[in-house]
Structure formats: structure tokens, C-alpha cells
Amino acid sequence: HILREFFRGGAGSRQLRGVDLTEVPFLFYASQIRPHKNILTLIKAYEMLLRRDLVDVKLVLTGDLFAPEASDLASYVHDRRLQYDVISLPRVPSRVLSALFACSRLAVCPTLFEGGLPFTFTEALNVDTPVIMSRIPVVIEKVTDPRLAAAMLFDPYDAGDLCARMRWALDNRQSLLAMQRPLFAE
């Protein structure tokens, strides 16, 4: 309901004109465009998932792909003809952000650096959405169960590894969520 109201008011992305995002399966990454957020690797992995593995899912980002600092990302998306598959929704209100997490099939956090466990983990699990994350020191420090680490962590420098993790997580969504709930409760 929150997403439908948001888009009905003319807000959101021009890429979604006439599309009901609540009816479309999508991956979600909530982040601004910053070099250490590793968004290009995410887009490359997503392209493999979409084109090579033929997984019918969109990629929704809260980073503004039309901002000057995102010109390299926007060029890549355009050159690869992904402009209707990689959706940019910048500056969404907090209620809409929560709704995007709740409606997404999977949250993805490809960051190369964070000062603490990325917020993506708690934001996604708070609305029962599983999440996969970069295998970076701060995350490894918190995800100590080897089985859970193998299920949810990927090499942030390897688009192929990220693609494989996304595919596995989409195919095993409920299992991953069940594995992540104890860490979230902790």
C-alpha cells in the first residue's frame, strides 16, 4: 500500500511509469552512490543473473544514477541496455524505504567498507527479507557461524561470486531467512 501510494502521487522513478513495483520481483540495495559502496560490481553481477542465468528480477537502488557523481554507472547501465532493469529511486522517505525492503525478494549489500555491521542487515531482517553481504572484516566479525557465512557472504571484488550468491539466495530465500534470524535476534 505504501509503495502504491508513493508511485501514484507521481513520485519515484520515471523508469517505473506504468509499472506496479509491488507486483515485480526485485533485488534491493539502499545506499548513496559512493565508490566504496561497490555498485558497479553489483550491477555487473546483476547483469549476469538477468542475462546469463535468465532470472526475471529487477535491481532497485536508492542511489541516484542520474547524479553527476554516478555518470560512470549511468553510462554502464545505458551501454548495456539495463535502463529498464536497474531502477534508481533516490531520496525516498523512510516509510517507503521500509516498504522497499519488505517487498524486495532479497537485499544486497556489496560494500567494500563500513564502520560497523551495515544497516542493510537489520533493515532487511526487520521486515523478514533475507540479505546477502560482502565478506569484509566488519561483517566477518559478526557472522561467525561458518554455515551462515557460506550462505550469505560473497567476495565483493568478484561479480561472479556475487551473482552466484544472489541466485542461491533467491532459490533458497526461506532457508536463508531462517538461518539469519538468530543473528538478527542477537
Side-chain angles (χ1 to χ4, degrees), residues 15 39-40 43-44 46-47 51 59 61 65-66 70-88:
Q15 296 165 293
I39 295 171
L40 183 58
I43 294 171
K44 289 178 178 181
Y46 167 73
E47 182 182 15
R51 298 218 169 113
L59 174 61
L61 307 169
L65 289 180
F66 304 104
S71 62
D72 289 345
L73 292 173
S75 292
Y76 184 87
V77 166
H78 185 266
D79 291 349
R80 306 296 293 177
R81 292 183 165 81
L82 294 167
Q83 62 269 25
Y84 296 107
D85 297 300
V86 178
I87 310 300
S88 176

Side-chain angles (χ1 to χ4, degrees), residues 1 7-8 17 28 30-31 50 56 78 105 116 137 139 146 163:
H1 175 74
F7 292 121
R8 186 174 297 131
R17 194 167 295 139
F28 185 54
S31 178
L50 180 70
D56 186 21
H78 185 266
R105 299 293 302 146
V139 173
C163 177

Side-chain angles (χ1 to χ4, degrees), residues 22-59:
T22 62
E23 301 295 326
V24 176
F26 65 93
L27 307 170
F28 185 54
Y29 183 36
S31 178
Q32 295 181 340
I33 305 292
R34 302 281 187 269
H36 71 277
K37 296 298 184 173
N38 204 23
I39 295 171
L40 183 58
T41 299
L42 172 58
I43 294 171
K44 289 178 178 181
Y46 167 73
E47 182 182 15
M48 286 184 231
L49 187 71
L50 180 70
R51 298 218 169 113
R52 183 194 69 196
D53 297 349
L54 304 176
V55 176
D56 186 21
V57 65
K58 301 288 186 191
L59 174 61

Side-chain angles (χ1 to χ4, degrees), residues 30 34 110 128 131 136 160 174:
R34 302 281 187 269
D128 286 331
V131 60
I136 58 175
Q174 291 306 316

